[in-house]
Amino acid sequence: MTIDTYDGTGVKPSHWNLGSVIEQLRVSREATHNIRHHGKVRELPSREALTIIVNGLSAALFPTHYGRPNLTDESIDYFVGDTLNTTLNRLTEQVRRGLQFSLEDAVPDDEELTRQANAITREFAAGLPGIRGLLVSDVQAAFSGDPAATSVAEIMLCYPGTIAILYYRLAHSLHRLGSPFLARLISDIGHSLTGIDIHPGAQIGGSFFIDHGTGVVIGETAILGQRVRLYQHVTLGAKRFPADEKGSLIKGVPRHPVVEDDVVIYAGATILGRITIGAGSTIGGNVWLTQSVPAGSNVSQAQMRND
Amino acid sequence: MTIDTYDGTGVKPSHWNLGSVIEQLRVSREATHNIRHHGKVRELPSREALTIIVNGLSAALFPTHYGRPNLTDESIDYFVGDTLNTTLNRLTEQVRRGLQFSLEDAVPDDEELTRQANAITREFAAGLPGIRGLLVSDVQAAFSGDPAATSVAEIMLCYPGTIAILYYRLAHSLHRLGSPFLARLISDIGHSLTGIDIHPGAQIGGSFFIDHGTGVVIGETAILGQRVRLYQHVTLGAKRFPADEKGSLIKGVPRHPVVEDDVVIYAGATILGRITIGAGSTIGGNVWLTQSVPAGSNVSQAQMRND
Amino acid sequence: MTIDTYDGTGVKPSHWNLGSVIEQLRVSREATHNIRHHGKVRELPSREALTIIVNGLSAALFPTHYGRPNLTDESIDYFVGDTLNTTLNRLTEQVRRGLQFSLEDAVPDDEELTRQANAITREFAAGLPGIRGLLVSDVQAAFSGDPAATSVAEIMLCYPGTIAILYYRLAHSLHRLGSPFLARLISDIGHSLTGIDIHPGAQIGGSFFIDHGTGVVIGETAILGQRVRLYQHVTLGAKRFPADEKGSLIKGVPRHPVVEDDVVIYAGATILGRITIGAGSTIGGNVWLTQSVPAGSNVSQAQMRND
Amino acid sequence: MTIDTYDGTGVKPSHWNLGSVIEQLRVSREATHNIRHHGKVRELPSREALTIIVNGLSAALFPTHYGRPNLTDESIDYFVGDTLNTTLNRLTEQVRRGLQFSLEDAVPDDEELTRQANAITREFAAGLPGIRGLLVSDVQAAFSGDPAATSVAEIMLCYPGTIAILYYRLAHSLHRLGSPFLARLISDIGHSLTGIDIHPGAQIGGSFFIDHGTGVVIGETAILGQRVRLYQHVTLGAKRFPADEKGSLIKGVPRHPVVEDDVVIYAGATILGRITIGAGSTIGGNVWLTQSVPAGSNVSQAQMRND
Amino acid sequence: MTIDTYDGTGVKPSHWNLGSVIEQLRVSREATHNIRHHGKVRELPSREALTIIVNGLSAALFPTHYGRPNLTDESIDYFVGDTLNTTLNRLTEQVRRGLQFSLEDAVPDDEELTRQANAITREFAAGLPGIRGLLVSDVQAAFSGDPAATSVAEIMLCYPGTIAILYYRLAHSLHRLGSPFLARLISDIGHSLTGIDIHPGAQIGGSFFIDHGTGVVIGETAILGQRVRLYQHVTLGAKRFPADEKGSLIKGVPRHPVVEDDVVIYAGATILGRITIGAGSTIGGNVWLTQSVPAGSNVSQAQMRND
Amino acid sequence: MTIDTYDGTGVKPSHWNLGSVIEQLRVSREATHNIRHHGKVRELPSREALTIIVNGLSAALFPTHYGRPNLTDESIDYFVGDTLNTTLNRLTEQVRRGLQFSLEDAVPDDEELTRQANAITREFAAGLPGIRGLLVSDVQAAFSGDPAATSVAEIMLCYPGTIAILYYRLAHSLHRLGSPFLARLISDIGHSLTGIDIHPGAQIGGSFFIDHGTGVVIGETAILGQRVRLYQHVTLGAKRFPADEKGSLIKGVPRHPVVEDDVVIYAGATILGRITIGAGSTIGGNVWLTQSVPAGSNVSQAQMRND
């Protein structure tokens, strides 16, 4: 009834036929694929670690908004440096774990694995200033694109689109550098926080703005140009999945839309397949689109009717 | 300005007319229904406890993915056994609390309530190996159904659909065993984590796959067969709610769709009412469907138009 | 490998070219707008603080559901009073911080800022009993509007719509009293928890019910009457954004729908622009609507077709 | 290597012959007395709960020093009332657990046990204002007795003697009301924090001052008058323990010193047995004393010598 | 019975006559001195904050032992800089609070108080390298003085004397710079951790070593030279306290021993009054000494006798 | 002023001349020995990890007192097994780290180091049942030796001597198996909790009882027989430390007392040097003893005098 119940010690015990359930669970485990691979344990990357890592990277990139607002000219570089160092140390361990899954049968020995993880992390670090530049362009796009936005601080603190794009840009960098499993985990954390699901494999230009955002889905092979603007529930998905002669899905084939520069897609539009939305087009709300449209198109849904 | 502000002790005090506000809140409370029922306090189940319980069950079902990856053949059953025992002790207490709400006017005395809670929890435990089997089929369906999936670990760690189905299958078992209030709470936690809203009363066969998932809604009396695949924003809802002669809604009437085996429903489709989607049908994105369709149907939205 | 790795101390170190990355990040920071404003640091409101504040307000408003279920007649007012006092102390500090952003160039000196924050918070406190009354009407609307609802407790604990409306009503009160930045942060926290995005500027009458809710978006200038009911993915948005002669968006212009009393809007409907949905109307699922409809209208989507 | 190692999941596994060690531990457990008593589990009081309880009582007794310094006239009674209510609820549960041990073979049924725990806790609560009065006299004694003390706040926050006496006075009240096991646990927590070991059975008058305090021991049957002052390492202990004819120690016999009003005992003095130190006496440092001394005595150690 | 009991919400409620107890506590509070001083709240320094501050200072002084062992040449200064900056920010707030008590009736206005706190903290920071030098000499004295010591790491991590001296040297610096209240709090935290009670006013030379340490007491005006070595239970105390004509103790008068260079004092020795222990002397265990001894003295206790 | 100040972000910034202080600290670090050894980082064992490890071992040894009181016959071995496995995994990592310091210049490569750590941990695990047996004898000695003890539970939960002996017996086992650095850290944690300082190298027989205990010191080479009983402030120390011809202390030489079976040593006695206290002797309080005494001796302090 008290504090020690936090770990279950204060709960009245009962009899649960544990032996039988445990036996059946063991049998069930042994009947299915498990995490042991070629006889060795593969360590799983940790969601909690990655959450802390993304928080650390956010703080290093935007120290006054996502780090500590009370930094001074005297102290800010110490904060950035220490945060970055700790975060990169943590990241390299997660990259190492993720490689065991990404590399599948070609997992090298421990020393080589660590060397590759360090190399990826170092390159990732080198790309951070570039990522910061893209994110600044995204925030500016939000500010100029939303009449409800009153300040940069509001966009950085209150817009789920900002968070989703931040997670995406970090995940995409890792994906590109050869750490796809980790990238996927980071992007799923961003999805869980915002309801916006961007596959880390997607390629997205600068000044990207997602308003409201819940339900947005952007697929693995989608390509978005500069200054694209999306609203909630927009899907940039695949239409069908080609299978090989054995019926297995062929992975990695381009199957999601190409969205050119300056396209706006309104709430609920579903755009499927390797089609191209020409530059400057506007796609209306709830539209279901599976064919390419030329630059400057204006697509809207069929008329509703009153009963 | 420092650490002690964590509990508010460092914040500058002011005068808030507390007496007046507190008085009005008391009046407001006394004017409405409250949680006291027949003169005794009904303890509320705890969201935090249930979160820990679902984590415990996940760890017992899939120890290497959701528990501890470093378990050995020597140690794994100790982990499963201890986790299960602690978790079932906690669960029985929550089931007991939930019964006070589910049983309404027929709440028995404390001893009988505890006996019923223990019985439900024991039966729930006995069903866990079966639930594990279903979940394994769901993960395999995801792996074979999504070309972007690269490993079982990715599906278990990065797919919100996996988490939503895990929460659903546990909640459904409790719902079926007579603990609907608790089942509802668990399913709402899953909803909050994933954006996927599956009522614990729904019946869903094996090899179930939800891709992306944000915005999926599956109603209380829906029935889904084997190998159903859903995409984001799909609604399997009710069309209208029959009321009795006094105008009160009649609860529990079948009012959601029946989806037969091997049906695929694409993003944004809204399917309402007690209709049947025949086996093997494909429902296109954004479709709004309120009538049954035969097996093998292929339903898509009316054409959009270019302005 | 052990506990001290929680703060990164157990992670193998490597060399990251920190100096170069830090230098580039500094250059990038100095090239963009930053949080320093007219030479002084503006303290950012804290998401964590606001989460604790909303929890505190919820507990003071509904002590047995969101506070402590074991309160007695002897103890309940002490709990409400202490919770309210602590929470209002915290809130006034956050209001103070938020004002620095809302007031922009007209930020007064520290003493005046604190005076304004205290005044807003005191007026906010005075409005809490009224907010409680509205929330009670919302819960009752949910109970009578959803056949799956079995008790008031279920609606208060398991319905994301309840949580979203609670966050909205608190945020709206702060917005109205002159604390828009803080209001926005609170409403974004509610959005993140529930997938329901209600701008704190929207005006919404009593007995409001949102079922399922993921993906609902209600814009800044929307006006909703009494007894409105919404389902998931409903958008009450803007159609286009008027710009001034320089091309800048004009902020604050009424641009979202007016929804009159007793309107029901089904899942996925997208309603855009300053149009009016007449009292008692029903808008069907997935409808895309950009023109006013008279009272009692019944709008549904064009027919789908079978291929 | 990362965060998940907090619960041991990141540590490299090895093989430990668990089966054999567990088997031997089981045999060892079964060979000794255990906590099961007459076939039912006796719940142990919790050190963590008691620590929180003593903190709660301290805060209720001295809200501005041990509670929240920012309380106002408007808010202080709400704080005291809510803190007291929560703390007494927790305490009654611990008292109930403790009674199972104190009452030994005469443990009544659950309902009666709860009734007794409630009665003890209610009487304890009624005694709190009296305890506060004694503690105020103790603090004043410290202020007037130590030339290094500069303020009441310093004595309340920086003097281990203050903390030890606070723990003692709370524990003694529970001891007197029939909850000796709980009293003992509270006094041991105080000992661990301060190095001062006062048995809760000891009787100690007001205006009591312990300076520095590490190593002070005051036995179960010791009686101290008003205005007694002790320094570090003073022992008020037993000389020998009378045994019954079977050789078992006779428990509860008066066997510790009686120290009358206004006695000062300097560092390291060891005073053993049921002797009386007459009022106003001074006992020098490191003295070893086993015989009564009359009022006004001045006892010091034999002379040291220089080699 | 579950997690929510952590904050007391799961504990069975009872009736405690709260109104009466609260009323009596209010009366008791109003009858005694309280923390309000000249009508304004004085904020208390926080033990928790100071613990974090001392940990931060320790980490900045000895980054690899008390900070993060995995620092590299590239990263160590970032860690030291960021830790120091955060810690000094926190410290200045605590110094500010402490000044309100140290300055008593002469507390200046807020701005001046902050200015003084900043000045003290800046000077304290400037003295840190000097403190580090002294601490290094202390550790080396332990290494060469204890045959059981096997490494510097052992002395830094396992010796309570090291911790006690670290707390003392930091507290003494603050005491000297005009922050005596804060110094006292820090030294009491050190006392609580180690059982070693060193008043921050004491002056202690380099290469100081305390072995075992429990029960050591060093008074406010004690002066210790270089290379002094103490064992457990040694008291360097006051003999009597001079009072003024009104009977009040005169504060601050030199009343504790002067211990010259290279003195060793064995366990349990009690040395009282403003006497001088000449350089190079050895004081035996349990000796009670109240007169000065010349340099090179060898003092031991009178012979024990066998009964 | 709010929650974010927990990590210092809400504290008003100031200017601290960081650059200069950091520079001086770097110079100071480079002038002294540091933790880098032969060019590689030696990871320090973690106090926090060891605290969790000792808690885990305590829980595995005495599950109902130090683990979970609500264990059943069905569940207890799962708890013991899982707790033991987790704890031994953690311990082996700490042993590995400790070996780097114990082995000094002979630190082997990583693989061999891990092999040795595993071997020590496995042997340690095998010895746990034996340690449990000794601890049971110690608890029984306390119960029969203290007239104030009312139950075994009281001795296990409220006696610092019990905790100190538990820490000692675990530390001694590690010391004996070749992990002296780790043993020392564990014993210092026990010292900090209880004020009782037992060097892990000391050899102590069964049925050992320490009453009150604050200030007890037992040196590295002390040997205690069966059924020894000690009171507070007893020192079993070294008299002098032999040095080699260079003046360095010779480490490891027997220099502490041998205490034979059934000896009782009362409070404050100081016993120094490699002397023998014969079986069955009684040493009185505050005695200073540096010569052996035969079996059955009764030693007490010289008489005090009344001034």
Side-chain angles (χ1 to χ4, degrees), chain E residues 79-141:
Chain E
F79 172 77
V80 172
D82 189 47
T83 302
L84 213 48
N85 179 54
T86 306
T87 301
L88 294 172
N89 282 346
R90 285 173 180 149
L91 179 59
T92 195
E93 163 64 15
Q94 299 298 317
V95 169
R96 194 184 64 71
R97 294 185 184 192
L99 283 179
Q100 295 176 306
F101 292 86
S102 308
L103 299 177
E104 282 291 328
D105 298 326
V107 176
D109 65 23
D110 277 4
E111 200 175 328
E112 171 60 14
L113 201 62
T114 296
R115 203 200 54 72
Q116 289 187 25
N118 282 349
I120 288 174
T121 306
R122 199 172 297 114
E123 211 171 332
F124 175 81
L128 284 173
I131 291 177
R132 189 181 194 281
L134 283 171
L135 289 168
V136 167
S137 79
D138 300 327
V139 167
Q140 285 167 338

Side-chain angles (χ1 to χ4, degrees), chain B residues 41, chain C residues 69-72 75, chain D residues 85 89 92 118, chain E residues 10-16:
Chain B
V41 171
Chain C
N70 63 352
L71 292 164
T72 57
S75 60
Chain D
N85 179 55
N89 282 346
T92 194
N118 281 349
Chain E
V11 180
K12 282 268 174 8
S14 185
H15 192 276
W16 307 119

Side-chain angles (χ1 to χ4, degrees), chain A residues 74-95:
Chain A
E74 180 191 43
S75 61
I76 194 163
D77 277 353
Y78 294 118
F79 172 77
V80 172
D82 189 46
T83 302
L84 213 46
N85 179 54
T86 307
T87 302
L88 295 172
N89 282 346
R90 284 173 180 149
L91 179 58
T92 194
E93 164 63 16
Q94 299 298 316
V95 169

